[in-house]
Short mmCIF file of all heavy atoms in Angstrom, two decimals:
data_model
loop_
_atom_site.label_atom_id
_atom_site.label_comp_id
_atom_site.label_asym_id
_atom_site.label_seq_id
_atom_site.Cartn_x
_atom_site.Cartn_y
_atom_site.Cartn_z
N CYS E 278 75.47 93.58 101.71
CA CYS E 278 74.40 92.56 101.49
C CYS E 278 74.04 92.49 100.02
O CYS E 278 73.07 91.80 99.66
CB CYS E 278 73.12 92.96 102.22
SG CYS E 278 73.30 93.07 103.99
N ASP E 279 74.82 93.07 99.18
CA ASP E 279 74.45 93.19 97.77
C ASP E 279 74.63 91.87 97.01
O ASP E 279 73.93 91.68 96.00
CB ASP E 279 75.13 94.38 97.12
CG ASP E 279 74.56 95.69 97.69
OD1 ASP E 279 73.34 95.67 97.90
OD2 ASP E 279 75.32 96.62 97.93
N LYS E 280 75.51 91.03 97.42
CA LYS E 280 75.71 89.68 96.78
C LYS E 280 74.88 88.64 97.47
O LYS E 280 74.17 87.90 96.79
CB LYS E 280 77.19 89.35 96.81
CG LYS E 280 78.15 90.40 96.33
CD LYS E 280 78.04 90.73 94.90
CE LYS E 280 78.58 92.10 94.51
NZ LYS E 280 79.89 92.42 94.40
N ASN E 281 74.99 88.56 98.82
CA ASN E 281 74.39 87.38 99.45
C ASN E 281 72.85 87.50 99.52
O ASN E 281 72.13 86.52 99.78
CB ASN E 281 75.02 87.09 100.85
CG ASN E 281 75.12 88.28 101.74
OD1 ASN E 281 74.60 89.35 101.40
ND2 ASN E 281 75.76 88.11 102.89
N PHE E 282 72.34 88.72 99.33
CA PHE E 282 70.88 88.88 99.23
C PHE E 282 70.44 89.26 97.80
O PHE E 282 69.29 89.58 97.59
CB PHE E 282 70.42 89.93 100.23
CG PHE E 282 70.42 89.49 101.70
CD1 PHE E 282 71.63 89.61 102.41
CD2 PHE E 282 69.31 89.00 102.35
CE1 PHE E 282 71.69 89.21 103.76
CE2 PHE E 282 69.35 88.66 103.66
CZ PHE E 282 70.54 88.72 104.34
N GLY E 283 71.41 89.30 96.92
CA GLY E 283 71.14 89.62 95.52
C GLY E 283 70.47 91.00 95.35
O GLY E 283 69.65 91.23 94.48
N LEU E 284 70.93 91.99 96.21
CA LEU E 284 70.25 93.27 96.22
C LEU E 284 70.97 94.40 95.43
O LEU E 284 70.53 95.55 95.48
CB LEU E 284 70.08 93.74 97.64
CG LEU E 284 68.95 93.02 98.36
CD1 LEU E 284 69.10 93.24 99.92
CD2 LEU E 284 67.55 93.51 97.93
N TYR E 285 72.09 93.98 94.81
CA TYR E 285 73.01 94.88 94.10
C TYR E 285 72.61 96.39 94.02
O TYR E 285 73.19 97.22 94.64
CB TYR E 285 73.32 94.31 92.69
CG TYR E 285 73.66 92.92 92.68
CD1 TYR E 285 72.69 91.90 92.46
CD2 TYR E 285 74.94 92.47 92.93
CE1 TYR E 285 73.01 90.53 92.49
CE2 TYR E 285 75.34 91.11 92.98
CZ TYR E 285 74.32 90.17 92.76
OH TYR E 285 74.71 88.87 92.79
N ARG E 286 71.60 96.62 93.17
CA ARG E 286 71.31 98.07 92.91
C ARG E 286 70.57 98.76 94.04
O ARG E 286 70.36 99.93 94.07
CB ARG E 286 70.52 98.23 91.62
CG ARG E 286 69.13 97.63 91.65
CD ARG E 286 68.36 97.93 90.37
NE ARG E 286 68.75 97.07 89.30
CZ ARG E 286 67.92 96.71 88.24
NH1 ARG E 286 66.72 97.17 88.24
NH2 ARG E 286 68.31 95.87 87.29
N GLU E 287 70.19 97.98 95.04
CA GLU E 287 69.46 98.62 96.25
C GLU E 287 70.55 99.21 97.18
O GLU E 287 70.18 99.86 98.13
CB GLU E 287 68.64 97.58 96.92
CG GLU E 287 67.52 97.03 96.12
CD GLU E 287 66.44 98.01 95.71
OE1 GLU E 287 66.53 99.18 96.17
OE2 GLU E 287 65.57 97.70 94.90
N ARG E 288 71.77 98.93 96.94
CA ARG E 288 72.89 99.53 97.67
C ARG E 288 72.73 99.38 99.20
O ARG E 288 72.47 100.28 99.98
CB ARG E 288 73.04 101.08 97.38
CG ARG E 288 72.89 101.41 95.86
CD ARG E 288 73.96 100.69 95.02
NE ARG E 288 75.33 100.92 95.50
CZ ARG E 288 76.14 99.96 95.82
NH1 ARG E 288 75.75 98.66 95.64
NH2 ARG E 288 77.35 100.24 96.22
N THR E 289 72.93 98.12 99.64
CA THR E 289 72.65 97.73 100.97
C THR E 289 73.89 97.32 101.74
O THR E 289 74.44 96.24 101.40
CB THR E 289 71.58 96.58 101.01
OG1 THR E 289 70.52 96.92 100.16
CG2 THR E 289 71.04 96.31 102.40
N GLY E 290 74.32 98.07 102.68
CA GLY E 290 75.53 97.75 103.45
C GLY E 290 75.49 98.37 104.83
O GLY E 290 74.55 99.06 105.25
N ALA E 291 76.63 98.10 105.57
CA ALA E 291 76.73 98.69 106.90
C ALA E 291 78.20 98.78 107.27
O ALA E 291 79.05 98.11 106.74
CB ALA E 291 75.98 97.77 107.91
N LEU E 292 78.46 99.73 108.20
CA LEU E 292 79.81 99.81 108.74
C LEU E 292 79.71 99.66 110.24
O LEU E 292 78.90 100.31 110.85
CB LEU E 292 80.41 101.22 108.34
CG LEU E 292 81.81 101.48 108.89
CD1 LEU E 292 82.85 100.51 108.37
CD2 LEU E 292 82.26 102.89 108.63
N TYR E 293 80.56 98.78 110.77
CA TYR E 293 80.60 98.54 112.22
C TYR E 293 81.89 99.01 112.86
O TYR E 293 82.95 98.89 112.21
CB TYR E 293 80.39 96.97 112.46
CG TYR E 293 79.01 96.57 112.07
CD1 TYR E 293 78.80 96.05 110.84
CD2 TYR E 293 77.95 96.66 112.97
CE1 TYR E 293 77.55 95.57 110.40
CE2 TYR E 293 76.69 96.24 112.56
CZ TYR E 293 76.51 95.69 111.32
OH TYR E 293 75.22 95.29 110.95
N VAL E 294 81.81 99.38 114.12
CA VAL E 294 83.03 99.69 114.92
C VAL E 294 83.02 98.73 116.12
O VAL E 294 81.99 98.52 116.72
CB VAL E 294 82.92 101.14 115.50
CG1 VAL E 294 84.24 101.42 116.21
CG2 VAL E 294 82.55 102.14 114.49
N SER E 295 84.24 98.15 116.34
CA SER E 295 84.38 97.32 117.53
C SER E 295 85.36 98.08 118.45
O SER E 295 86.42 98.52 117.98
CB SER E 295 84.90 95.98 117.12
OG SER E 295 85.37 95.28 118.25
N ALA E 296 84.92 98.31 119.67
CA ALA E 296 85.70 99.11 120.58
C ALA E 296 85.78 98.46 121.93
O ALA E 296 85.00 97.58 122.23
CB ALA E 296 85.12 100.51 120.76
N PRO E 297 86.72 98.80 122.81
CA PRO E 297 86.86 98.10 124.12
C PRO E 297 85.72 98.43 125.07
O PRO E 297 85.39 97.59 125.94
CB PRO E 297 88.18 98.56 124.67
CG PRO E 297 88.62 99.77 123.87
CD PRO E 297 87.82 99.76 122.59
N ASP E 298 85.13 99.64 124.98
CA ASP E 298 84.04 99.96 125.89
C ASP E 298 83.08 100.92 125.27
O ASP E 298 83.31 101.47 124.19
CB ASP E 298 84.64 100.66 127.17
CG ASP E 298 85.53 101.78 126.78
OD1 ASP E 298 85.01 102.83 126.18
OD2 ASP E 298 86.77 101.71 127.03
N ALA E 299 81.86 101.09 125.91
CA ALA E 299 80.78 101.83 125.34
C ALA E 299 81.18 103.28 125.08
O ALA E 299 80.72 103.90 124.10
CB ALA E 299 79.58 101.77 126.29
N GLU E 300 82.02 103.84 125.96
CA GLU E 300 82.39 105.30 125.78
C GLU E 300 83.14 105.52 124.53
O GLU E 300 82.84 106.39 123.71
CB GLU E 300 83.15 105.73 127.03
CG GLU E 300 83.11 107.25 127.20
CD GLU E 300 83.96 107.57 128.39
OE1 GLU E 300 83.90 106.85 129.40
OE2 GLU E 300 84.69 108.56 128.27
N SER E 301 84.17 104.70 124.26
CA SER E 301 84.95 104.90 123.05
C SER E 301 84.15 104.57 121.81
O SER E 301 84.29 105.20 120.77
CB SER E 301 86.27 104.07 123.05
OG SER E 301 86.40 103.30 124.22
N LEU E 302 83.22 103.58 121.94
CA LEU E 302 82.37 103.28 120.79
C LEU E 302 81.49 104.45 120.46
O LEU E 302 81.38 104.85 119.31
CB LEU E 302 81.54 102.01 121.18
CG LEU E 302 80.47 101.70 120.11
CD1 LEU E 302 81.11 101.12 118.84
CD2 LEU E 302 79.53 100.67 120.66
N HIS E 303 80.94 105.07 121.49
CA HIS E 303 80.03 106.20 121.32
C HIS E 303 80.72 107.31 120.54
O HIS E 303 80.15 107.90 119.60
CB HIS E 303 79.50 106.69 122.64
CG HIS E 303 78.62 107.88 122.54
ND1 HIS E 303 77.37 107.78 122.10
CD2 HIS E 303 78.87 109.24 122.71
CE1 HIS E 303 76.86 109.03 122.04
NE2 HIS E 303 77.71 109.92 122.39
N CYS E 304 81.94 107.65 120.92
CA CYS E 304 82.65 108.79 120.30
C CYS E 304 82.97 108.44 118.83
O CYS E 304 82.69 109.25 117.93
CB CYS E 304 83.99 109.00 121.04
SG CYS E 304 84.97 110.24 120.25
N THR E 305 83.37 107.23 118.52
CA THR E 305 83.69 106.85 117.16
C THR E 305 82.42 106.84 116.30
O THR E 305 82.42 107.39 115.20
CB THR E 305 84.34 105.45 117.14
OG1 THR E 305 85.30 105.38 118.11
CG2 THR E 305 84.98 105.14 115.75
N LEU E 306 81.37 106.27 116.88
CA LEU E 306 80.12 106.16 116.14
C LEU E 306 79.54 107.57 115.80
O LEU E 306 78.99 107.87 114.73
CB LEU E 306 79.11 105.39 116.92
CG LEU E 306 77.96 104.74 116.12
CD1 LEU E 306 78.52 103.80 115.06
CD2 LEU E 306 77.04 103.99 117.03
N SER E 307 79.72 108.52 116.80
CA SER E 307 79.17 109.86 116.57
C SER E 307 79.88 110.51 115.39
O SER E 307 79.33 111.28 114.64
CB SER E 307 79.26 110.69 117.85
OG SER E 307 80.61 111.00 118.10
N ASN E 308 81.22 110.20 115.30
CA ASN E 308 81.96 110.77 114.16
C ASN E 308 81.52 110.10 112.84
O ASN E 308 81.41 110.79 111.80
CB ASN E 308 83.47 110.51 114.33
CG ASN E 308 84.06 111.58 115.20
OD1 ASN E 308 84.47 112.67 114.60
ND2 ASN E 308 84.09 111.42 116.48
N LEU E 309 81.20 108.84 112.89
CA LEU E 309 80.70 108.16 111.64
C LEU E 309 79.38 108.76 111.18
O LEU E 309 79.14 108.98 110.07
CB LEU E 309 80.61 106.70 111.85
CG LEU E 309 81.92 105.91 111.82
CD1 LEU E 309 81.70 104.43 112.18
CD2 LEU E 309 82.56 106.05 110.40
N LEU E 310 78.50 109.01 112.22
CA LEU E 310 77.20 109.57 111.89
C LEU E 310 77.34 110.98 111.31
O LEU E 310 76.67 111.38 110.33
CB LEU E 310 76.28 109.60 113.07
CG LEU E 310 75.82 108.21 113.62
CD1 LEU E 310 75.18 108.34 114.99
CD2 LEU E 310 74.89 107.59 112.67
N HIS E 311 78.35 111.72 111.81
CA HIS E 311 78.57 113.07 111.32
C HIS E 311 79.10 113.00 109.83
O HIS E 311 78.65 113.72 108.95
CB HIS E 311 79.60 113.72 112.19
CG HIS E 311 79.89 115.17 111.77
ND1 HIS E 311 81.13 115.51 111.17
CD2 HIS E 311 79.14 116.28 111.78
CE1 HIS E 311 81.09 116.75 110.88
NE2 HIS E 311 79.92 117.27 111.23
N LEU E 312 80.00 112.02 109.60
CA LEU E 312 80.55 111.84 108.22
C LEU E 312 79.44 111.44 107.25
O LEU E 312 79.32 111.92 106.13
CB LEU E 312 81.70 110.85 108.22
CG LEU E 312 82.99 111.29 108.86
CD1 LEU E 312 83.97 110.08 109.03
CD2 LEU E 312 83.63 112.36 107.99
N ALA E 313 78.57 110.54 107.78
CA ALA E 313 77.44 110.05 106.91
C ALA E 313 76.56 111.20 106.55
O ALA E 313 76.18 111.36 105.42
CB ALA E 313 76.68 108.93 107.60
N ARG E 314 76.28 112.05 107.49
CA ARG E 314 75.35 113.15 107.33
C ARG E 314 75.92 114.11 106.22
O ARG E 314 75.15 114.71 105.45
CB ARG E 314 75.22 113.90 108.64
CG ARG E 314 74.32 115.10 108.63
CD ARG E 314 72.89 114.65 108.72
NE ARG E 314 71.97 115.76 108.95
CZ ARG E 314 70.83 115.96 108.27
NH1 ARG E 314 70.47 115.12 107.36
NH2 ARG E 314 70.05 117.02 108.44
N THR E 315 77.20 114.30 106.20
CA THR E 315 77.79 115.17 105.21
C THR E 315 78.03 114.50 103.86
O THR E 315 78.33 115.18 102.87
CB THR E 315 79.13 115.80 105.67
OG1 THR E 315 80.04 114.65 105.94
CG2 THR E 315 79.00 116.57 106.95
N ASN E 316 77.88 113.20 103.76
CA ASN E 316 78.09 112.48 102.50
C ASN E 316 76.67 112.26 101.84
O ASN E 316 76.46 112.79 100.75
CB ASN E 316 78.69 111.09 102.72
CG ASN E 316 80.26 111.23 102.67
OD1 ASN E 316 80.77 111.53 101.64
ND2 ASN E 316 80.92 110.98 103.78
N TRP E 317 75.86 111.51 102.44
CA TRP E 317 74.57 111.19 101.82
C TRP E 317 73.40 111.47 102.73
O TRP E 317 72.28 111.12 102.42
CB TRP E 317 74.49 109.64 101.41
CG TRP E 317 75.07 108.76 102.46
CD1 TRP E 317 74.45 108.32 103.56
CD2 TRP E 317 76.36 108.13 102.46
NE1 TRP E 317 75.27 107.48 104.32
CE2 TRP E 317 76.46 107.34 103.68
CE3 TRP E 317 77.51 108.17 101.63
CZ2 TRP E 317 77.60 106.64 104.00
CZ3 TRP E 317 78.59 107.40 101.92
CH2 TRP E 317 78.63 106.67 103.14
N SER E 318 73.72 112.05 103.84
CA SER E 318 72.70 112.41 104.89
C SER E 318 72.03 111.16 105.50
O SER E 318 72.19 110.89 106.67
CB SER E 318 71.67 113.36 104.32
OG SER E 318 70.77 113.71 105.34
N MET E 319 71.38 110.42 104.68
CA MET E 319 70.73 109.18 105.11
C MET E 319 70.77 108.11 103.97
O MET E 319 70.67 108.48 102.84
CB MET E 319 69.27 109.41 105.47
CG MET E 319 69.17 110.37 106.64
SD MET E 319 67.53 110.97 106.88
CE MET E 319 67.92 112.48 107.78
N PRO E 320 70.98 106.88 104.39
CA PRO E 320 71.12 105.86 103.26
C PRO E 320 69.77 105.46 102.68
O PRO E 320 68.71 105.71 103.30
CB PRO E 320 71.70 104.67 104.06
CG PRO E 320 71.21 104.83 105.46
CD PRO E 320 71.09 106.26 105.73
N PRO E 321 69.79 104.92 101.46
CA PRO E 321 68.52 104.42 100.89
C PRO E 321 67.94 103.33 101.79
O PRO E 321 68.65 102.48 102.30
CB PRO E 321 68.92 103.91 99.50
CG PRO E 321 70.37 103.68 99.59
CD PRO E 321 70.96 104.62 100.64
N ASP E 322 66.60 103.24 101.84
CA ASP E 322 66.01 102.35 102.88
C ASP E 322 65.72 100.97 102.39
O ASP E 322 65.83 100.03 103.19
CB ASP E 322 64.70 103.05 103.29
CG ASP E 322 63.94 102.20 104.32
OD1 ASP E 322 64.50 101.90 105.41
OD2 ASP E 322 62.81 101.71 103.93
N HIS E 323 65.24 100.82 101.16
CA HIS E 323 64.53 99.60 100.74
C HIS E 323 65.31 98.32 101.02
O HIS E 323 64.74 97.37 101.64
CB HIS E 323 64.17 99.69 99.24
CG HIS E 323 63.35 98.55 98.79
ND1 HIS E 323 62.08 98.41 99.08
CD2 HIS E 323 63.70 97.48 98.04
CE1 HIS E 323 61.58 97.25 98.55
NE2 HIS E 323 62.60 96.71 97.89
N GLY E 324 66.57 98.23 100.54
CA GLY E 324 67.28 97.00 100.67
C GLY E 324 67.48 96.61 102.17
O GLY E 324 67.31 95.42 102.57
N ALA E 325 67.77 97.59 103.02
CA ALA E 325 67.98 97.28 104.44
C ALA E 325 66.68 96.81 105.09
O ALA E 325 66.73 95.89 105.89
CB ALA E 325 68.48 98.55 105.10
N ALA E 326 65.58 97.41 104.68
CA ALA E 326 64.32 96.98 105.25
C ALA E 326 64.00 95.55 104.84
O ALA E 326 63.53 94.73 105.71
CB ALA E 326 63.17 97.90 104.77
N VAL E 327 64.35 95.19 103.62
CA VAL E 327 64.16 93.82 103.15
C VAL E 327 65.03 92.85 103.90
O VAL E 327 64.59 91.76 104.44
CB VAL E 327 64.49 93.70 101.62
CG1 VAL E 327 64.69 92.24 101.17
CG2 VAL E 327 63.42 94.39 100.81
N VAL E 328 66.29 93.15 104.12
CA VAL E 328 67.23 92.27 104.86
C VAL E 328 66.73 92.14 106.34
O VAL E 328 66.72 91.07 106.89
CB VAL E 328 68.65 92.80 104.80
CG1 VAL E 328 69.55 91.97 105.73
CG2 VAL E 328 69.17 92.75 103.41
N ARG E 329 66.31 93.22 106.95
CA ARG E 329 65.79 93.17 108.35
C ARG E 329 64.62 92.18 108.35
O ARG E 329 64.63 91.36 109.29
CB ARG E 329 65.35 94.57 108.79
CG ARG E 329 64.61 94.48 110.16
CD ARG E 329 64.21 95.87 110.70
NE ARG E 329 63.75 96.84 109.72
CZ ARG E 329 62.45 96.82 109.24
NH1 ARG E 329 61.61 95.87 109.61
NH2 ARG E 329 62.12 97.78 108.39
N LEU E 330 63.69 92.29 107.47
CA LEU E 330 62.53 91.39 107.49
C LEU E 330 62.98 89.94 107.41
O LEU E 330 62.46 89.05 108.06
CB LEU E 330 61.58 91.68 106.38
CG LEU E 330 60.62 92.93 106.59
CD1 LEU E 330 59.73 93.11 105.41
CD2 LEU E 330 59.86 92.75 107.88
N ILE E 331 63.92 89.68 106.47
CA ILE E 331 64.36 88.32 106.24
C ILE E 331 65.09 87.80 107.45
O ILE E 331 64.87 86.62 107.87
CB ILE E 331 65.31 88.27 105.01
CG1 ILE E 331 64.53 88.54 103.75
CG2 ILE E 331 65.99 86.85 104.92
CD1 ILE E 331 65.32 88.62 102.48
N LEU E 332 65.95 88.59 108.09
CA LEU E 332 66.71 88.06 109.20
C LEU E 332 65.93 88.01 110.51
O LEU E 332 66.32 87.30 111.41
CB LEU E 332 67.97 88.91 109.46
CG LEU E 332 69.05 88.81 108.33
CD1 LEU E 332 70.24 89.65 108.74
CD2 LEU E 332 69.48 87.37 108.07
#
Side-chain angles (χ1 to χ4, degrees):
C278 296
D279 290 323
K280 312 290 157 78
N281 51 6
F282 288 82
L284 283 165
Y285 310 96
R286 67 175 78 152
E287 300 294 353
R288 316 303 306 125
T289 311
L292 178 62
Y293 293 93
V294 185
S295 168
D298 53 64
E300 202 182 319
S301 359
L302 174 68
H303 175 76
C304 175
T305 315
L306 202 61
S307 71
N308 275 274
L309 282 176
L310 291 170
H311 180 253
L312 287 170
R314 182 80 171 132
T315 58
N316 272 294
W317 45 77
S318 183
M319 297 167 202
D322 175 64
H323 184 74
V327 164
V328 172
R329 170 177 43 78
L330 282 182
I331 293 175
L332 291 183

